[in-house]
Every structure is written in C-alpha cells, then in structure tokens.
Amino acid sequence: MIISDAYLIVTSPGRNFVTLKIVTESGVYGIGDATLNGRELAVVAYLEEHVLPTLIGRDASRIEDIWHFLYRGAYWRRGPVTMSAIAAVDLALWDIKAKAAGMPLYQLLGGKSRERVMTYAHCTGKDIDACLSEVEKHLKLGYRAVRVQAGVPGIPTTYGVTKKDGERYEPADAELPSENVWSTEKYLNHVPKLFAAVRDQFGDDIHILHDVHHRLTPIEAARLAKEVEPYHLFWLEDCVPAENQESFRLIRQHSTTPLAVGEVFNSIHDYRELLEGQLIDYIRTPLSHGGGITHVRRIADLASLYHVRTGFHGATDLSPVCLGAAIHFDTWVPNFGIQEHMPHEAIVDTVFSHDYQFVDGHFIVGETPGHGVDIDEALAKQYPYKRASLPVNRLEDGTLWHW
Ligand code: CS2
Ligand code: MG
C-alpha cells in the first residue's frame, strides 16, 4: 500500500473539476475531488507544490496519520483551499482502502443504516408560476423534496433564479464575475407567497426547502423564519452569513423553522457554537470541502449529540467523485437528513463513470469496492480548464452585498 504516484486531472466538461488520483505500488488507485468552484487552480497549486510530493513513499493505509500530517503539519490550519486539498487526499485514500478490502466504502464506515438516500431537487423559476411548473415536473420524476426559488418582482437578475424557463443557474459561466442586484425588502415581501403557492397547489405531503444564500441580517432572517412557519419548511438554508455563529440565537428565539447551514464551512470549529447552542438543524459541509470523510464524520458525530442531521451540499460544482463518496456516507451515517441533488450534465457522467443509481427521488449506493466513481483520463483531457467566476451581488444603491 505504498504510494508511488499522485497527480491531478483538471477538466472542464461544461464546468471545471479538479480530480486527484493516488496510485499505490500494487496498482490499486484512489480518486478524490479537489474542486473549489471559482478558485480551482488555488487548490491545484496547493496540492502540486506542497502536498503531493510529501505523499510519495507513504503508506496509503494510514489515513488518519496522513490527515493529521497535512492538517497539523502544515502549521496553517483550516480554510477552504487547505481543507479541499486535504479532502481530496482523504477521499482518494478511503477509496484505496475500500478497494483493497474488496468492499464498498459504506461497509468500512459501519454498514448500511438505510436502503436509500432521500434527495431534494432544484425547482427554480423566473416567477412563482414558472417555479410551480418545475415542482410539478420534479414530483413526476419521483422527488418528494423540492428546493424552491423564484424571481422577485423588481429585481432584474438574482443568483439562484434562471433567466429563462428550464435554464440552469449553475455553472457560473462568465469568465469574470458578473453583477446581480439585490433588494432585501422586495425579497422579504415576496418569498412567503412562493411557499404559500407551493402548499396550495401540492399539499402537505412534500418537503419544501429554500436557500437564502446568506443575504439577510439576523433580525430579517428571524422575521422570515417566523413568517413562513405555517408552510412547514423542511429547512431554511443559509439565512445569514455565519461568521458570527451567535447570530443564529436571535433567529432561533423567534421561530421553529428548521435551519440549515454550512456549505461554505470547512471545519468542525465553524459549527461548535451552532451545535452546542442547539441553534441549527442540518449541517451542509460536503466531504470535498470539509477535509474528507475523516473530518466530516467527526462533525456528523458532534451534530448527532444535538439531534442535528446531515444535508450535504450537492450542487453541480461538487463532482461525481464527491457525490459518489457522499452517497456511501449518507447510506451509513446514523443522523442522515437529506442529500442535495442537482444532476450533472450527461457529459460529466461520461467523464466520471459511477455505480450509484437514482431511483424515484432517491440515490441507491453501489456495491463496487471503493466509492464507485472513476475518471476517464483520456476523455477528461479533451476538455481543458476554462476560467469561470461566480457572480457578485450589489444592493440597488451599488453597495456590494453577500452572495
Ligand atoms: C447553492 C450552490 O446548492 C446550493 O445550495 O448554494 O449553488 C452554491 O451557490 C454553489 O455550489 C457555489 O459553488
Ligand atoms: Mg446553498
């Protein structure tokens, strides 16, 4: 199990993905996702210059030791670039260990806790009606949980909302950041009508989720969470920027709407006050941004003490490698909640072959040894990296706002 080679594959089949391949002397190899949307090459440089040379000659089975070597040993701790780089190594090593054991990854974690993994779909429209038709479409596909986002009258362009029906809002395809406009007042007055319309048309038997994308202040978030209580949301996501963990206390004091947070978190320390204070209900950090399985399972264990469940980020910037590993984790983790599912384009699924299946709104884990995802390196080479930037958000008066 001695590591003999480690290299990156950067490919852009419609959007950028960075994939780490670690090869051992025996020929068994593992794959990890190192993609950090909009900052891809920063992780490439971190890995190529500072991490990969230190892996050669190490024993691939010593996952825990390698994790601490990369985390403590670097002196500079945490942060999205560091934790995505460590995650890529960690996911590749778990893949190798499971392949060497001849087991699907979920078996190494502790075996199945469930038969299938509930997912939620993105239902996004330029207005409420367009969003409702997306909900209808996705319920027909078998989803029981929908994330609803609709354009707000008077706000011309808003991240999270398509400009045309059926268009995707991801990936961010502008080479340099485009600018969106935001009005909290218009949004707060409009968005409860969306949830009312969804409940009115589709009843109580579906889960409704919504992403605020960090755009409110704590008191505004409290107003929204309180006002939408009658629509029984599954969760309200990222309603405030979470650097100040204590701010969630204010929202909590006003409302019973469940709160999800953490797609931009990368460490257990980002969650400590939120969990210990019982201020949130779902943790969102994906395996590929939070130091891999070795670290995220510690976050999930801490969360379980407080009845907090997982709801991993799964937008299309998380590669099929991250998603494949997440489905193993979701199948095992006792405090599973839900998995985000935003389908990759067909070409992405051709570059990254995988054995997970999507049936009736749920993922079914595969039985191939490892995490079950591989990369076609020759095909990947045909899609070279293209710089792509996420947009920025400005208030109507031009003030740069949270995105
Ligand atoms: C979003 C993402 O899926 C989500 O909940 O917040 O689309 C997110 O904005 C992107 O993944 C950013 O990389
Ligand atoms: Mg989000």
Side-chain angles (χ1 to χ4, degrees):
M1 295 283 277
I2 298 300
I3 297 173
S4 53
D5 199 4
Y7 58 94
L8 292 169
I9 304 140
V10 184
T11 182
S12 191
R15 64 174 313 143
N16 293 318
F17 294 111
V18 180
T19 308
L20 171 63
K21 184 162 180 173
I22 298 183
V23 186
T24 62
E25 277 175 0
S26 65
V28 176
Y29 64 87
I31 303 284
D33 181 16
T35 311
L36 187 60
N37 197 9
R39 294 291 183 270
E40 294 88 354
L41 298 190
V43 185
V44 170
Y46 190 105
L47 281 164
E48 283 184 343
E49 183 62 21
H50 307 291
V51 173
L52 302 188
T54 72
L55 294 181
I56 310 303
R58 277 179 202 277
D59 179 352
S61 65
R62 296 185 62 172
I63 300 177
E64 193 69 49
D65 182 66
I66 290 176
W67 196 94
H68 289 278
F69 171 76
L70 296 176
Y71 183 81
R72 297 183 195 180
Y75 187 62
W76 311 107
R77 298 179 182 207
R78 303 164 60 181
V81 175
T82 296
M83 297 305 274
S84 298
I86 296 178
V89 175
D90 191 76
L91 291 176
L93 295 180
W94 277 98
D95 193 25
I96 290 173
K97 195 183 269 297
K99 282 178 179 167
M103 289 180 186
L105 176 58
Y106 73 82
Q107 292 289 12
L108 286 194
L109 296 173
K112 279 188 184 181
S113 298
R114 58 197 53 79
E115 304 308 319
R116 55 187 195 158
V117 166
M118 180 171 67
T119 71
Y120 69 88
H122 281 230
C123 299
T124 302
K126 63 179 186 326
D127 54 25
I128 292 181
D129 280 347
C131 180
L132 293 176
S133 20
E134 284 293 301
V135 173
E136 190 170 12
K137 198 167 96 192
H138 285 88
L139 294 181
K140 284 194 184 133
L141 292 172
Y143 289 97
R144 305 312 305 161
V146 289
R147 170 188 128 138
V148 295
Q149 312 286 137
V152 177
I155 308 184
T157 54
T158 301
Y159 171 80
V161 171
T162 45
K163 290 185 196 110
K164 284 191 229 134
D165 290 349
E167 202 180 60
R168 297 258 173 98
Y169 72 89
E170 275 278 358
D173 50 8
E175 206 198 331
L176 296 174
S178 59
E179 302 215 341
N180 290 342
V181 184
W182 178 249
S183 159
T184 296
E185 296 75 20
K186 292 183 176 119
Y187 166 77
L188 281 179
N189 289 333
H190 184 70
V191 76
K193 297 178 195 155
L194 169 64
F195 308 138
V198 176
R199 280 283 175 240
D200 191 45
Q201 185 160 334
F202 302 102
D204 290 329
D205 202 24
I206 59 167
H207 296 304
I208 301 179
L209 298 83
H210 180 71
D211 191 353
V212 188
H213 236 269
H214 319 101
R215 290 162 179 154
L216 302 179
T217 64
I219 197 68
E220 290 162 351
R223 166 183 154 186
L224 178 64
K226 183 175 169 179
E227 198 174 329
V228 302
E229 275 176 4
Y231 311 116
H232 303 143
L233 265 56
F234 185 93
W235 80 34
L236 192 63
E237 177 188 338
D238 287 340
C239 50
V240 287
E243 287 95 332
N244 175 11
Q245 298 183 26
E246 187 62 26
S247 68
F248 276 77
R249 194 175 299 285
L250 188 111
I251 306 163
R252 202 58 150 181
Q253 278 164 352
H254 288 280
S255 162
T256 57
T257 297
L259 303 173
V261 69
E263 71 178 42
V264 301
F265 291 2
N266 50 67
S267 158
I268 196 165
H269 302 285
D270 297 323
Y271 283 104
R272 199 167 53 77
E273 291 166 50
L274 291 172
L275 292 171
E276 289 175 357
Q278 309 199 50
L279 306 179
I280 57 166
D281 303 279
Y282 294 92
I283 54 171
R284 299 258 306 136
T285 307
L287 299 175
S288 64
H289 295 160
I293 289 168
T294 299
H295 191 63
V296 174
R297 73 173 173 177
R298 301 219 153 93
I299 305 177
D301 279 345
L302 179 63
S304 76
L305 299 183
Y306 302 99
H307 304 266
V308 172
R309 296 186 286 163
T310 62
F312 289 158
H313 186 199
T316 43
D317 50 302
L318 289 317
S319 95
V321 178
C322 177
L323 181 59
I327 292 166
H328 284 267
F329 195 99
D330 294 337
T331 299
W332 154 71
V333 72
N335 48 325
F336 170 73
I338 201 163
Q339 169 68 49
E340 181 174 7
H341 179 220
M342 195 179 178
H344 289 110
E345 300 289 344
I347 183 60
V348 174
D349 285 330
T350 313
V351 172
F352 295 93
S353 59
H354 54 76
D355 71 345
Y356 54 80
Q357 287 176 49
F358 182 72
V359 183
D360 258 351
H362 294 75
F363 278 122
I364 316 284
V365 76
E367 293 296 328
T368 316
H371 57 45
V373 187
D374 210 340
I375 180 165
D376 180 335
E377 292 181 56
L379 186 59
K381 277 205 184 82
Q382 293 177 24
Y383 301 98
Y385 168 80
K386 258 178 76 191
R387 179 164 53 211
S389 306
L390 293 162
V392 298
N393 215 14
R394 288 189 188 276
L395 299 182
E396 289 169 298
D397 68 359
T399 308
L400 196 91
W401 199 241
H402 310 290
W403 176 76

